[in-house]
Amino acid sequence: MAEEPPVPPDQQPDASLARARSSSAYVAWRDALPSFELDGERLYLPTGDVPVAEPELARDWLRRDERA
């Protein structure tokens, strides 16, 4: 049986994103943020001036949530 080639890091599912999306509080917060689409990717403005993709948004939210 042939081995499966390893999945490149940039194509692996983001565990932080999956964990955050399982939280209704995160989803409500994310959906309330200003956002826009650029080149097929949804970007969010959590601080009002620096756009971020959802994986980074989720990691930041989880970090803040763990400190609370």
Side-chain angles (χ1 to χ4, degrees), residues 33-45 50-52:
L33 291 173
S35 67
F36 61 95
E37 191 168 315
L38 180 65
D39 295 333
E41 181 176 25
R42 173 72 42 195
L43 298 173
Y44 298 87
L45 297 163
V50 178
V52 296

Side-chain angles (χ1 to χ4, degrees), residues 26-66:
Y26 165 77
V27 172
W29 174 76
R30 179 202 65 197
D31 290 348
L33 291 173
S35 67
F36 61 95
E37 191 168 315
L38 180 65
D39 295 333
E41 181 176 25
R42 173 72 42 195
L43 298 173
Y44 298 87
L45 297 163
T47 60
D49 58 351
V50 178
V52 296
E54 190 177 5
E56 182 180 349
L57 188 72
R59 283 189 297 272
D60 290 346
W61 185 83
L62 289 169
R63 258 193 308 269
R64 282 194 304 254
D65 190 51
E66 288 170 357

Side-chain angles (χ1 to χ4, degrees), residues 8-26:
D10 64 334
Q11 294 178 10
Q12 291 181 353
D14 190 326
S16 298
L17 181 56
R19 202 168 104 220
R21 282 181 174 170
S22 71
S23 167
S24 60
Y26 165 77

